[in-house]
């Protein structure tokens, strides 16, 4: 069944042009200029799009088939072209599961998870490329699509039995109190191709304690441009706790940090400096309530070949005794006898990739 959304169009050409330009300036598009709309092409959604987008329409096959209208793929392509004709970068995404979870976001950044009930053959149309859910242009685009954009394929043609038939041969359910438009239920979501770690990075850390601990770090892990970095050393402390009786408004100022945790933070900072200044490594530091970690590198995923090579490079090496020997970073450089070293650190036996936090 085609569950679509669409609307009559009356926005002045100058306003359309201004909105299109604004969308392009915030988009992750390869170039600034007119949005391409080629009827011979399918504009397929990729993981590099977004990460925040407007879900324009989710088109499902009609139970029992539909001999008179377009297939979901044909309808999605047409809607995509029609949006692009109006300067809106749009993409199609084929759903291949019975149900799919999507994270939707309100203008104030509140997340809600909704299940899209789908059947094989369903296709979505998404539009825009925005860095945040509350991006002003994203919210303007959402309103524009819901109230002004006209997609002829989804334009209402006739109503019957509680359903509205579109000019593309599809149907959407008429709802009391809503406009007779297939586009009126558009919403902001995240790119459905992003994995759980990438989604986690999109969610900003709102713990004031972690913000306080990490905001002053010159090489804080949150400044890493990749999605992942490889942990080469963990420094475990005790805990970081809120002082009894504090309120949320002052929690960032009244924190009880154990001496062990403070020492872990200092150790991590010192190791990071040595890795950067002496070993020429892209090292970062991250502090949380129970530990401080030092990481190396910036990678797109934990399976990135460079991430794998980095983990292997800094992993413990086999020894004749059968017990792996951890890599040692010592001061002075090259000192193998830790009893003679001024400072030394034994790195993790098995380094691992961790998602880069968003702060």
């Amino acid at each position: 069944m085609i569950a679509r959304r669409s609307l009559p169009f009356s926005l002045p050409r100058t306003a359309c042009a201004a909105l299109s330009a604004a969308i392009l300036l915030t988009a992750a598009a390869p170039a600034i200029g007119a949005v391409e709309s080629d009827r011979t092409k399918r504009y397929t959604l990729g993981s590099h799009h977004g990460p925040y987008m407007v879900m324009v329409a989710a088109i499902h096959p009609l139970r029992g088939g539909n001999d008179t209208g377009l297939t979901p793929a044909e309808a999605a392509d047409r809607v995509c072209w029609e949006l692009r004709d109006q300067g809106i970068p749009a993409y199609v995404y084929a759903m291949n599961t019975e149900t799919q979870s999507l994270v939707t976001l309100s203008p104030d950044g509140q997340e809600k998870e909704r299940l899209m009930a789908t059947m094989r053959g369903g296709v979505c149309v998404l539009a825009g490329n925005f860095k945040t859910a509350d991006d002003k242009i994203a919210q303007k685009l959402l309103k524009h699509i819901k109230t002004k954009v006209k997609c002829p394929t989804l334009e209402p043609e006739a109503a019957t039995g509680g359903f509205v038939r579109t000019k593309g041969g599809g149907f959407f359910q008429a709802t009391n109190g809503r406009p007779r438009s297939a586009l009126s239920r558009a919403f902001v979501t995240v790119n459905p191709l992003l994995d759980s770690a990438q989604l986690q990075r999109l969610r900003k850390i709102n713990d004031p304690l972690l913000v306080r601990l990490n905001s002053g770090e010159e090489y804080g892990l949150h400044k890493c441009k990749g999605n992942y970095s490889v942990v080469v050393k963990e420094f475990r402390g005790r805990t970081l706790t809120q002082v009894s009786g504090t309120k949320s408004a002052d929690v960032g100022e009244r924190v009880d940090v154990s001496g062990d945790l403070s020492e872990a933070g200092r150790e991590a900072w010192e190791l990071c400096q040595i890795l950067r200044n002496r070993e020429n490594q892209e090292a970062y530091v991250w502090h949380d309530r129970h530990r401080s970690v030092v990481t190396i590198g910036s990678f797109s995923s934990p399976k990135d070949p460079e991430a794998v090579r980095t983990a292997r490079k800094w992993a413990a090496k086999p020894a004749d005794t059968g017990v792996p020997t951890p890599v040692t970073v010592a001061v002075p450089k090259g000192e193998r006898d830790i009893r003679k070293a001024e400072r030394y650190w034994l790195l993790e036996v098995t380094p691992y990739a961790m998602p880069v936090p968003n702060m």
Side-chain angles (χ1 to χ4, degrees):
M1 174 188 246
I2 296 184
R4 253 4 11 187
R5 339 169 181 197
S6 155
L7 249 175
F9 186 65
S10 59
L11 198 66
R13 287 183 179 272
T14 52
C16 291
L19 180 60
S20 297
I23 293 170
L24 284 167
L25 288 171
T26 60
I32 302 299
V35 175
E36 182 184 72
S37 183
D38 186 339
R39 261 50 177 179
T40 67
K41 291 185 179 181
R42 163 166 270 205
Y43 296 95
T44 304
L45 180 70
S47 59
H48 59 288
H49 294 130
Y52 290 95
M53 317 181 79
V54 175
M55 173 66 76
V56 179
I59 307 175
H60 313 298
L62 190 67
R63 292 185 185 277
N66 183 1
D67 296 331
T68 61
L70 302 171
T71 66
E74 292 169 339
D77 281 335
R78 288 197 182 187
V79 172
C80 182
W81 296 329
E82 289 162 0
L83 290 170
R84 285 176 166 267
D85 286 343
Q86 298 171 66
I88 300 172
Y91 315 91
V92 296
Y93 167 63
M95 299 177 287
N96 56 12
T97 55
E98 293 300 322
T99 59
Q100 178 159 340
S101 174
L102 287 177
V103 177
T104 64
L105 302 109
S106 63
D108 60 0
Q110 295 297 312
E111 295 183 357
K112 291 184 179 181
E113 188 173 29
R114 68 168 71 181
L115 286 177
M116 298 285 291
T118 70
M119 294 178 287
R120 292 190 181 278
V123 185
C124 293
V125 180
L126 298 102
N129 299 281
F130 304 100
K131 291 183 178 180
T132 63
D134 57 358
D135 185 288
K136 291 182 179 179
I137 303 301
Q139 294 303 319
K140 287 182 179 179
L141 175 62
L142 175 62
K143 182 178 180 181
H144 180 59
I145 288 174
K146 294 175 72 171
T147 61
K148 299 295 182 182
V149 164
K150 180 179 179 181
C151 289
T153 300
L154 302 181
E155 196 169 329
E157 187 175 59
T160 177
F163 288 87
V164 178
R165 183 183 179 89
T166 69
K167 290 183 177 179
F171 298 87
F172 64 89
Q173 189 169 9
T175 305
N176 291 335
R178 289 185 179 273
R180 271 180 79 245
S181 165
L183 295 173
S184 64
R185 295 176 185 174
F187 57 89
V188 175
T189 185
V190 295
N191 185 330
L193 292 176
L194 299 184
D195 62 31
S196 58
Q198 290 170 311
L199 291 176
Q200 178 182 333
R201 190 177 180 190
L202 291 179
R203 301 183 178 107
K204 292 195 72 172
I205 289 176
N206 56 14
D207 186 331
L209 304 184
L210 298 189
V211 171
R212 176 189 172 194
L213 286 174
N214 292 280
S215 59
E217 282 290 356
E218 181 181 5
Y219 301 116
L221 182 57
H222 59 286
K223 297 179 181 178
C224 176
K225 294 183 179 180
N227 294 323
Y228 291 84
S229 191
V230 173
V231 176
V232 295
K233 181 63 178 177
E234 290 186 1
F235 295 94
R236 291 279 173 178
R238 288 181 183 167
T239 57
L240 179 65
T241 58
Q242 177 182 339
V243 176
S244 177
T246 58
K247 299 178 181 179
S248 58
D250 64 0
V251 66
E253 300 298 327
R254 300 180 62 193
V255 179
D256 180 21
V257 182
S258 74
D260 284 356
L261 190 59
S262 296
E263 182 61 27
R266 284 191 290 271
E267 292 272 359
W269 178 86
E270 188 172 349
L271 176 57
C272 177
Q273 297 297 317
I274 290 175
L275 288 172
R276 276 189 170 264
N277 300 325
R278 195 185 77 184
E279 305 295 336
N280 295 318
Q281 298 296 316
E282 183 187 352
Y284 299 96
V285 175
W286 179 254
H287 311 290
D288 65 23
R289 293 172 178 268
H290 307 286
R291 63 174 185 163
S292 291
V293 300
V294 178
T295 74
I296 291 178
S298 172
F299 312 104
S300 59
S301 79
K303 296 181 180 180
D304 186 320
E306 285 301 319
V308 174
R309 278 192 281 270
T310 298
R312 287 175 178 169
K313 175 182 177 179
W314 298 94
K317 304 301 184 280
D320 295 337
T321 60
V323 178
T325 303
V327 172
T328 302
V329 176
V331 178
K333 183 177 183 179
E335 180 58 66
R336 295 182 176 276
D337 188 342
I338 60 177
R339 293 171 299 181
K340 297 179 181 180
E342 298 175 18
R343 303 281 289 127
Y344 72 90
W345 296 270
L346 300 178
L347 303 188
E348 296 300 306
V349 172
T350 308
Y352 60 93
M354 72 171 283
V356 172
N358 181 15
M359 192 179 81

